[in-house]
Amino acid sequence: MTLIKGRLINVSNRLPVLIRNSASGARVERSSGGLATALNAAWRHQPGVWIGWAGQGQGPDVEHLLAKASRRRFHTLQAVALSEEEIAKFYSGFANEIIWPLFHDMPSLCKFDPDYWEAYQRVNRKFAHAAANTATDDDFIWVHDYHLMSVARYLREAGSRARMGFFLHIPFPAPDIFEKLPWRQCILKSLLQFDLIGFQTDRDRNNFVSCLQRLLPEATVEQNHPHLLASMQGRQAVVGTFPISIDFEEFAIPAAHPDVAARAENIRKQLLDNVLVLGVDRMDYTKGIPERLKSFRLLLRRFPELRRQITLVQVVVPSREEIPNYKELRLEVELLVSQINGEFTESGWVPIHYMHRNLGRAELLAYYRAADIALITPLKDGMNLVAKEFCAAQADERGVLIVSEFAGAGPELRHGAILVNPNDFAGVAQAIHDACLMTTEEKRTRMRLLRTIVKDHNVHRWARSFLQAAGPLETELTKSRKGGASPILTIRKQPSGEIPGVALVAASMGARQGQYSAGHSIRRIGSAHGDD
């Protein structure tokens, strides 16, 4: 990926590895976060430096361990040390008790503590200092996500002339939500210090532009096809949409291995060859897990013929357990699981199998292959890569994807998936029922299309598209600055984000939106697997 003149300086909250202290000393573990996994796949062969927090390991062994972990990479790993107070107030506090709920349209869960804001600024200065000491003017600094929105501001104050890009992996809220943030103008001005600002969807990009229009009237925005150009106080930033994805082969190839297929078959046998509905989520209130469980309960009440024929496997990965809202959520989820199982369990059949733990890669792939339906229903999500992982792992093309229209993956995969409103319990229940009735031919047509989309629009294409948008910045922005003219405020909403080629692929493959009558019989999943 030689799209930039110098090196790529990647800056994210976490490194792709974590260093943990143990009784036997510090050790390196692979980071399990979705962002780190996607970024690690995107520039596995890209020369440069990756700057981020390496975990709570401390001491002289850290640099040695990171140097050792860098040997198998084209880029080196560089740690930013954070104190326990900074982790508590910057990460758990500002990032995850203010920005996370606010950007997911849940302002009532925000804790607007000014101490959190001060910690956020201190940590952003730390990351900026690390990048400034590493990058040259020829390098491109790519900063990631809501943890580090102020980094460009401090880099500019330090005199850095390197080109800088920022990508937001979570949604960006509409003005009436964003304006509740006490430090709203400071955040917007800091973001405008980047040369390129990327969002997951057109909705997020347009929300950002609307916030500029309402809260920074001195800023101007104009069309600069295919992106927008935001200007303020002599600086200009390209603003674009770049939906992130996964490394398709990294999931598809191991998922097709006979060992994974055998594990998947064993899972199905353990569940009596029932229709296997799979949910895989972090324990987070944005993921809509309680709403999903209530939808499943309604399904069993409205369609009693599905009892003993269907099983929900809900995998919940522990997350942010130090934050009170997450502790409360776990109690709510586990109470619902207990209530639903108590209402419907019969001899030899339990409707919900609940796992609160991490799954290894091989086990996760086996569940992806075993599942007949993936139920991905976040209340709001920047993208949701689980939906794409499921498609990539569907080697036999027999599964159905049900995905929330409020996930970034929803509009992108809408030609082959069933889109639902996670707040519409009856609608989600009906979607599961329809998926159970879907013919094998339609399942394969839909999944073949979804796999084509995910394969073609993979994480490497995402990174290339971002860096290509960054590539001509130096020339274009220099010309604009020399011209001296300020663009007129012409904020135009763009058409809903159609990924190039997807509609044509959908038409050529004949993807259909199936309609089913209540009179159709429910197939045992044993026949659906090999129902040729």
Side-chain angles (χ1 to χ4, degrees), residues 229-287:
L229 194 62
S231 307
M232 194 181 76
Q233 297 176 348
R235 288 205 57 82
Q236 292 180 311
V238 172
V239 182
T241 302
F242 309 91
I244 197 172
S245 192
I246 63 170
D247 186 332
F248 180 85
E249 281 74 19
E250 195 172 274
F251 288 87
I253 293 173
H257 195 278
D259 289 348
V260 172
R263 292 182 73 165
E265 188 60 34
N266 187 49
I267 290 170
R268 288 193 286 264
K269 287 179 180 178
Q270 289 176 354
L271 297 176
L272 309 177
D273 274 339
N274 279 354
V275 176
L276 197 169
V277 182
L278 178 66
V280 179
D281 308 89
R282 282 190 309 103
M283 181 64 82
D284 194 286
Y285 47 77
T286 66
K287 302 302 181 181

Side-chain angles (χ1 to χ4, degrees), residues 28 68 82 108 246 343 348 378 391 492:
V28 177
K68 187 175 179 180
L82 299 179
S108 63
I246 63 170
E343 181 176 351
C391 296
R492 300 188 183 94

Side-chain angles (χ1 to χ4, degrees), residues 188-189 192-193 216 218-220 230-237:
L188 290 177
K189 289 178 180 178
L192 289 178
Q193 294 297 310
L216 293 181
E218 65 271 33
T220 59
S231 307
M232 194 181 76
Q233 297 176 348
R235 288 205 57 82
Q236 292 180 311

Side-chain angles (χ1 to χ4, degrees), residues 123 314 399 494 524 532:
V123 172
Q314 179 60 60
Q494 297 303 299
R524 293 286 299 184
D532 288 325

Side-chain angles (χ1 to χ4, degrees), residues 265-522:
E265 188 60 34
N266 187 49
I267 290 170
R268 288 193 286 264
K269 287 179 180 178
Q270 289 176 354
L271 297 176
L272 309 177
D273 274 339
N274 279 354
V275 176
L276 197 169
V277 182
L278 178 66
V280 179
D281 308 89
R282 282 190 309 103
M283 181 64 82
D284 194 286
Y285 47 77
T286 66
K287 302 302 181 181
I289 303 171
E291 290 78 7
R292 183 181 311 156
L293 294 171
K294 292 172 184 177
S295 297
F296 190 73
R297 178 171 62 190
L298 186 60
L299 172 82
L300 296 178
R301 288 174 176 173
R302 289 196 173 183
F303 303 103
E305 67 273 20
L306 276 175
R307 299 174 193 174
R308 301 187 66 89
Q309 306 287 317
I310 193 168
T311 301
L312 171 62
V313 174
Q314 179 60 60
V315 179
V316 180
V317 178
S319 176
R320 302 169 188 166
E321 296 185 304
E322 73 281 2
I323 299 176
N325 286 332
Y326 289 76
K327 295 178 182 179
E328 295 168 8
L329 175 65
R330 179 177 178 180
L331 292 175
E332 180 185 6
V333 166
E334 293 179 353
L335 178 60
L336 274 170
V337 170
S338 176
Q339 290 175 340
I340 295 168
N341 281 341
E343 181 176 351
F344 296 103
T345 294
E346 299 178 16
S347 177
W349 173 67
V350 178
I352 301 176
H353 290 236
Y354 171 76
M355 290 181 277
H356 182 258
R357 61 181 176 87
N358 283 288
L359 297 186
R361 175 60 65 92
E363 187 178 11
L364 177 63
L365 292 174
Y367 273 102
Y368 282 156
R369 283 207 59 176
D372 300 283
I373 301 168
L375 194 55
I376 313 296
T377 54
L379 303 179
K380 192 165 186 179
D381 222 338
M383 178 52 62
N384 195 295
L385 296 179
V386 169
K388 297 186 176 184
E389 292 174 4
F390 170 73
C391 296
Q394 279 282 303
D396 45 11
E397 298 175 340
R398 42 167 293 280
V400 179
L401 174 64
I402 300 176
V403 64
S404 167
E405 62 187 276
F406 305 125
E412 188 176 355
L413 302 179
R414 66 185 181 276
H415 295 289
I418 299 176
L419 263 61
V420 294
N421 179 343
N423 300 297
D424 179 5
F425 304 159
V428 174
Q430 186 64 52
I432 299 171
H433 182 263
D434 290 349
C436 291
L437 296 173
M438 194 178 292
T439 65
T440 299
E441 178 186 1
E442 177 150 7
K443 288 178 184 179
R444 286 180 174 167
T445 300
R446 286 173 175 265
M447 185 50 66
R448 191 172 295 126
L449 170 60
L450 290 172
R451 284 167 58 83
T452 298
I453 294 170
V454 176
K455 183 177 181 179
D456 290 347
H457 298 84
N458 58 31
V459 71
H460 307 290
R461 182 167 175 172
W462 165 76
R464 283 197 306 271
S465 67
F466 190 92
L467 294 177
Q468 283 169 346
L473 276 175
E474 186 173 10
T475 301
E476 291 180 0
L477 296 186
T478 300
K479 287 180 180 178
S480 298
R481 289 165 188 159
K482 287 181 178 178
S486 295
I488 300 172
L489 178 61
T490 54
I491 300 179
R492 300 188 183 94
K493 287 196 173 182
Q494 297 303 299
S496 177
E498 181 72 71
I499 295 181
V502 170
L504 294 176
V505 172
S508 67
M509 296 188 69
R512 301 186 302 273
Q513 298 295 327
Q515 294 182 349
Y516 308 94
S517 67
H520 283 192
S521 62
I522 302 298

Side-chain angles (χ1 to χ4, degrees), residues 1-19:
M1 190 188 302
T2 55
L3 300 174
I4 55 178
K5 183 178 179 181
R7 300 172 302 166
L8 179 62
I9 310 300
N10 184 48
V11 186
S12 62
N13 176 54
R14 292 180 186 269
L15 288 172
V17 298
L18 288 176
I19 296 178

